[in-house]
Amino acid sequence: MAFTSLRSTFFLLTFAATFSVLFNSCHGFYPKLINASLAASEHGWSPAGATWYGSPTGAGSDGGSCGYGGSVAKAPFSSLVSAISPSLYKSGKGCGACYEVKCTSNSACSGKPATVVVTDECPGCVSESTHFDLSGTSFGAMAKSGQAEKLRDAGVLQIQYRKVECNYPGTTIAFHVDSGSNPSYFATLIEYENGDGDLASVDLKQALDSDSWQPMQQSWGAVWKLDAGSQLQAPLSIKLTSLDSGNAIVATSVIPAGWKPGKTYRSVVNFKA
């Protein structure tokens, strides 16, 4: 009986040790790493690299690859913008998304988050899975009071980031009609979306078609297009669907009859922040 009991005990210990080795080596289960991952996810922050470009107190570029043009330096963007690595740029689908960024890796870092909007791509920023090439204004916004210049002198930082909802109080969604648009081809830059900030899809409805929505295609950056093949009947309504939440909103008759290429038309709607 004693021998049988010892043999059973030995078998159980051997099985447990073997299972532990197999589970750890084959499946990568490391409790310390799991706990660290859970702790990070609880706070929603992830690591990234950060640099800055352009003027020390500027908007980085004259609009960048999202197509926002001079809007990047004006309210509500107010130069608090960033170029982003391809992983978050998403071939332009990431345009308009908002992120909080903060740093603690330099003595000039405040540790307090600054909110930035994606307005450009940094295609060469691939040394890390995620990288923010911030405007000088955005980079300095992570600094302690009076130490923005010192922080910018650091050049390269390790930061933390998380996606947040965009919030443009009192601002409605704007549609800037692309200069290449004509009666049968319509393209528009879309700006200032609250909430997700970025878009999954855009649809257009003509005045004489009260039921049917025509899907638009992403042309580049934040510009969406529809090649109708025949003359479009204005006023045009535009439906926007957010990328993450899937929320949809309709700007009814936002593009009026007699619309002109190059003009911006303001809607009376926006997503909830």
Side-chain angles (χ1 to χ4, degrees):
M1 291 290 291
F3 177 75
T4 302
S5 177
L6 285 171
R7 196 167 63 173
S8 298
T9 301
F10 178 78
F11 173 77
L12 288 172
L13 289 172
T14 303
F15 175 79
T18 303
F19 178 79
S20 177
V21 171
L22 288 173
F23 191 72
N24 278 282
S25 62
C26 295
H27 297 280
F29 179 75
Y30 300 98
K32 289 184 179 179
L33 293 180
I34 291 294
N35 289 339
S37 177
L38 288 174
S41 64
E42 284 176 0
H43 298 91
W45 295 96
S46 299
T51 47
W52 65 276
Y53 71 119
S55 166
T57 56
S61 70
D62 296 329
S65 61
C66 288
Y68 297 124
S71 295
V72 295
K74 302 173 184 176
F77 291 155
S78 303
S79 298
L80 289 167
V81 298
S82 181
I84 199 72
S85 55
S87 60
L88 290 184
Y89 185 72
K90 304 172 186 174
S91 299
K93 285 288 183 70
C95 289
C98 295
Y99 292 90
E100 282 186 335
V101 292
K102 65 178 182 179
C103 69
T104 56
S105 58
N106 185 285
S107 61
C109 292
S110 69
K112 298 177 181 178
T115 302
V116 300
V117 184
V118 175
T119 59
D120 200 357
E121 181 183 18
C122 183
C125 296
V126 293
S127 58
E128 301 137 318
S129 60
T130 306
H131 189 96
F132 288 79
D133 198 15
L134 298 157
S135 68
T137 299
S138 297
F139 203 89
M142 297 188 294
K144 294 175 182 175
S145 179
Q147 297 193 39
E149 185 176 353
K150 180 181 177 182
L151 186 62
R152 285 191 289 267
D153 285 344
V156 181
L157 287 178
Q158 290 301 306
I159 64 166
Q160 291 180 298
Y161 77 98
R162 64 181 177 185
K163 190 174 184 186
V164 295
E165 289 192 337
C166 297
N167 185 13
Y168 305 114
T171 302
T172 55
I173 297 172
F175 299 87
H176 179 76
V177 180
D178 188 81
S179 59
S181 297
N182 59 55
S184 61
Y185 172 83
F186 179 79
T188 181
L189 170 76
I190 305 171
E191 341 179 69
Y192 313 135
E193 303 97 288
N194 281 337
D196 289 355
D198 40 19
L199 297 171
S201 62
V202 179
D203 300 273
L204 180 146
K205 185 166 66 173
Q206 300 184 54
L208 299 183
D209 188 349
S210 59
D211 299 317
S212 178
W213 288 97
Q214 297 172 272
M216 299 182 73
Q217 295 178 312
Q218 184 195 12
S219 180
W220 59 278
V223 178
W224 294 74
K225 65 180 181 179
L226 174 66
D227 192 351
S230 60
Q231 185 163 330
L232 291 161
Q233 302 298 313
L236 308 175
S237 298
I238 299 177
K239 179 168 66 175
L240 311 176
T241 303
S242 289
L243 187 61
D244 291 337
S245 65
N247 293 334
I249 196 169
V250 175
T252 303
S253 300
V254 65
I255 309 300
W259 58 268
K260 302 291 184 184
K263 291 200 65 174
T264 298
Y265 298 95
R266 287 271 183 181
S267 71
V268 296
V269 296
N270 208 330
F271 292 97
K272 292 182 179 179

